[in-house]
Amino acid sequence: MTETPASPLPAQVLTAPSLTRRMACWLYEGTLLFGVLFGTGLFFFGLLFAAGHLVPSLIPVRDAFNNRYSLQAYVFLLLALYFTWFWVKGQTLAMKTWHIRVVDRWGHALTRPKALLRYLWSWIWFLPPLAAGGYFHLSGGELTVILIGWIAIWALLARFHPQRQFLHDALAGTRLVHHKPAEPAKGRKFWHL
C-alpha cells in the first residue's frame, strides 16, 4: 500500500539539519538517556529488592538481579516507550535543544506505529557491533573501538542519501528536519504601563 500525503509541505521546510548538528543531538540524547535509565532502573530494581526481601518466595532476589536478559528487556522497552512517546509529539528534549524535528516523509507528525518502526530500525546503530562483540568475545575496549567506528561509518552514509537522511529514517519512512520554533510575542512588562 502506497502512502499519499494529505498536503505535502514545501521542500525548504523539510531541509535536513547538518550531520554535525544531528550527531551532537545524538550524543546529548545519550547523556539524557543515561539519567532516564539510571533513575528508572534504580526505582524498578529498588522495588524488586524490597519485594524480594519482604516476600522471598514471590521474587527471589538473587534471580532478579542476576538475570541480564530481563534487564535488557527492561531497557529495550523503556527506550521504546521514551522514544515513541516523544517522537509522536515531534521532538525529544535533545531534539528541541538542537532544533531538530522528526516527521514522516511528507512532513506530517508521526503516528505511534511509525514511531515504533523508526525505533526498531534505529537499533541498526548498535546491534551489528554488539552482535560481533558477543560472537567474537571481544573485550570492552575492542567493542568500544568497533562501536565508534560503526557509528562513524553509519552516520557518514547519510551523505549519500538524496535528502541527507540516515538509513533507518529512510527505511522507516521518516526524516529529521530543521525546526526553529517561532519566537513568542513579547508582552508588555507590568512596570511599563
Side-chain angles (χ1 to χ4, degrees), residues 10-180:
Q12 67 268 22
V13 175
L14 298 176
T15 56
S18 70
L19 183 59
T20 306
R21 214 166 90 215
R22 286 184 282 169
M23 292 312 293
C25 178
W26 192 85
L27 288 172
Y28 183 42
E29 193 78 68
T31 305
L32 294 174
L33 283 175
F34 175 78
V36 169
L37 291 173
F38 183 79
T40 57
L42 188 64
F43 175 75
F44 179 73
F45 287 104
L47 283 177
L48 274 179
F49 184 77
H53 281 289
L54 292 174
V55 187
S57 61
L58 181 63
I59 302 173
V61 176
R62 189 177 318 131
D63 295 338
F65 287 104
N66 291 333
N67 191 345
R68 73 175 185 195
Y69 299 116
S70 63
L71 178 60
Q72 290 170 349
Y74 168 76
V75 168
F76 181 80
L77 293 174
L78 180 66
L79 292 177
L81 179 66
Y82 173 86
F83 282 117
T84 56
W85 173 269
F86 283 108
W87 288 340
V88 166
K89 296 180 180 310
Q91 295 172 299
T92 62
L93 180 59
M95 294 168 89
K96 284 182 184 180
T97 303
W98 288 95
H99 303 294
I100 297 172
R101 189 171 192 81
V102 63
V103 294
D104 70 6
R105 68 184 68 186
W106 297 288
H108 301 118
L110 298 186
T111 61
R112 278 187 179 75
K114 182 74 76 172
L116 184 59
L117 181 64
R118 183 177 194 264
Y119 171 73
L120 294 174
W121 276 116
S122 68
W123 276 96
I124 292 175
W125 286 90
F126 298 104
L127 283 183
L130 292 177
Y135 183 77
F136 294 111
H137 305 288
L138 300 177
S139 69
E142 293 169 328
L143 184 59
T144 301
V145 169
I146 289 175
L147 187 62
I148 290 171
W150 176 261
I151 289 170
I153 291 168
W154 200 251
L156 289 173
L157 286 177
R159 310 266 306 153
F160 299 107
H161 189 271
Q163 287 91 30
R164 305 278 189 202
Q165 297 297 320
F166 294 126
L167 182 59
H168 71 276
D169 280 310
L171 293 169
T174 60
R175 60 194 306 174
L176 295 176
V177 295
H178 172 74
H179 176 74
K180 180 100 176 184

